[in-house]
Amino acid sequence: MEKTAVVKKKESGMEKRLNRWGYFFVAPFILVFCLFNLYPTIYTFVLSFTDLRGLRSDFDLTGLSNYTKLVTDPYFWESVGNTFVMWGWNFVPQLGIALLLSILLSDVRLRLKGKGLFRALIYMPNLLTAASVALLFRSLFGYPIGPVNQFLQTLGFYQETVRGDGTVVHEAFNFFRNVAVSRGIVAFIQWWMWYGHTVIMLMAGITSISNSLYESAVVDGANSRQTTLYITLPLLRPMMLYILVTSLIGGMQMLDIPFLLTDMRGAPDFKIRTMAVYIYNIAFQGRNDYAYAAAVSVGMFIITASIALLMYFFVQDRSDLKRKR
């Protein structure tokens, strides 16, 4: 018994020494996180209760005045609506097409060749920076001699403009003066850049499903459509919930593409000005109202967190909640 106790004491001492090394390796991450993430977050929250703006370094506490202004700010709520519209136009086709591609590329019975190449090509747009893609599409759809306009003109498509004297003039399309087209371009860029990542995530979820379930279904006479509807989709629900929440968080922070695509203020008519673009406009353009921009960023966080929690509550499997209870 005494020997056993001595061995246990030695093992506990070894564990303590290993734990100390663990703290040593974790320390760099904690320091970087506190310096570049935690401190700016706390500082932003404190700043939202002040009146800091312009080139000043001193500020006074103003209580909830910034939040009172935020609740009644029509430009902020317009930016919220713009953000949700462009995120919805992007996410619905992104999830649908990614789900279809992931099922096709993971189906063993199809025996598709070159699956690895398809995966690499699909994921490749995700490796590009959003700023470079935004500038690329800005030049592609440029007015009046962008490549898209030149291609449409060779096919005989022009925008017709009627002058005051009644004459009809054919000219190039100014895509970025049309609200629906501008929003569609932003949504398409977001979809094109991120659907490959969604495909990879869904394929990982499909490959984690046990093959015995599919084998049993085939023995019972189920076809591909039935196995997809009754096995693949229900078991993919946790992965789709994860993709939904992370896509929402990323979509609410949409900045580079709508910022660089037009005039950096969300033109036309501020209809592609997202919440992140609005924060940038307030903080670094015009009055440099850092305090109110901090309040807007806190409002964006509250909206995103609230909707993410609601999605998690309504989309998750109810049977899991019953088991936990």
Side-chain angles (χ1 to χ4, degrees):
M1 294 292 292
E2 292 180 359
K3 290 182 178 180
T4 305
V6 171
V7 171
K8 286 183 178 180
K9 288 181 181 179
K10 289 182 178 178
E11 289 177 352
S12 62
M14 178 66 73
E15 289 177 356
K16 289 180 180 179
R17 287 194 292 272
L18 290 175
N19 288 337
R20 291 172 187 171
W21 280 106
Y23 296 141
F24 174 77
F25 286 112
V26 171
F29 167 77
I30 295 176
L31 291 175
V32 172
F33 174 79
C34 292
L35 183 62
F36 295 103
N37 199 320
L38 183 61
Y39 170 73
T41 302
I42 296 174
Y43 182 71
T44 300
F45 182 73
V46 173
L47 202 63
S48 65
F49 295 97
T50 68
D51 61 350
L52 181 64
R53 67 175 58 176
L55 299 177
R56 293 168 48 193
S57 59
D58 59 323
F59 53 81
D60 299 319
L61 294 175
T62 58
L64 297 174
S65 61
N66 287 322
Y67 291 98
T68 304
K69 178 182 176 182
L70 178 66
V71 173
T72 58
D73 185 359
Y75 301 108
F76 168 70
W77 293 111
E78 184 183 22
S79 70
V80 173
N82 295 336
T83 305
F84 274 100
V85 167
M86 289 183 286
W87 174 74
W89 287 9
N90 149 49
F91 180 73
V92 173
Q94 178 189 144
L95 184 61
I97 295 174
L99 187 61
L100 177 62
L101 289 174
S102 61
I103 292 173
L104 291 176
L105 292 174
S106 303
D107 195 338
V108 180
R109 287 173 290 187
L110 293 179
R111 297 180 181 178
L112 295 176
K113 296 181 180 179
K115 291 183 180 180
L117 178 62
F118 281 125
R119 294 173 188 173
L121 293 176
I122 289 171
Y123 188 77
M124 195 170 293
N126 192 243
L127 302 177
L128 303 174
T129 60
S132 60
V133 174
L135 294 175
L136 172 63
F137 274 79
R138 181 175 178 175
S139 62
L140 287 175
F141 289 89
Y143 174 84
I145 56 172
V148 175
N149 263 315
Q150 292 181 5
F151 175 72
L152 291 175
Q153 289 171 14
T154 57
L155 298 178
F157 292 99
Y158 298 91
Q159 182 177 358
E160 293 186 353
T161 304
V162 181
R163 292 181 176 177
D165 57 357
T167 58
V168 179
V169 178
H170 295 282
E171 60 180 5
F173 291 95
N174 195 340
F175 295 100
F176 296 116
R177 295 191 65 180
N178 185 291
V179 174
V181 173
S182 299
R183 285 177 169 178
I185 293 173
V186 173
F188 175 80
I189 295 173
Q190 292 287 124
W191 167 82
W192 179 68
M193 289 188 64
W194 288 99
Y195 86 102
H197 177 266
T198 307
V199 170
I200 298 300
M201 297 296 293
L202 290 174
M203 288 184 67
I206 292 174
T207 53
S208 66
I209 299 174
S210 176
N211 288 327
S212 60
L213 297 175
Y214 293 104
E215 293 171 357
S216 301
V218 171
V219 170
D220 291 337
N223 55 32
S224 299
R225 183 180 62 84
Q226 291 171 329
T227 55
T228 300
L229 289 176
Y230 299 108
I231 297 178
T232 304
L233 293 181
L235 294 178
L236 272 182
R237 180 178 291 182
M239 180 60 72
M240 287 193 286
L241 175 60
Y242 169 79
I243 292 171
L244 176 62
V245 173
T246 54
S247 176
L248 172 69
I249 295 172
M252 296 302 102
Q253 299 174 359
M254 198 186 310
L255 172 65
D256 356 36
I257 294 172
F259 181 76
L260 294 172
L261 206 58
T262 54
D263 65 345
M264 300 184 183
R265 292 182 180 273
D269 197 22
F270 304 108
K271 293 302 183 182
I272 64 169
R273 180 168 64 182
T274 61
M275 288 186 283
V277 174
Y278 187 52
I279 292 171
Y280 185 91
N281 294 153
I282 294 172
F284 304 109
Q285 294 175 338
R287 296 184 304 168
N288 299 115
D289 195 344
Y290 302 116
Y292 185 59
V296 175
S297 64
V298 173
M300 182 176 71
F301 167 76
I302 293 173
I303 291 173
T304 305
S306 301
I307 296 176
L309 289 174
L310 287 174
M311 285 181 174
Y312 178 77
F313 178 76
F314 286 109
V315 178
Q316 68 175 333
D317 194 353
R318 299 297 174 186
S319 59
D320 294 339
L321 293 175
K322 293 179 181 179
R323 290 193 209 101
K324 292 178 182 178
R325 291 175 184 175

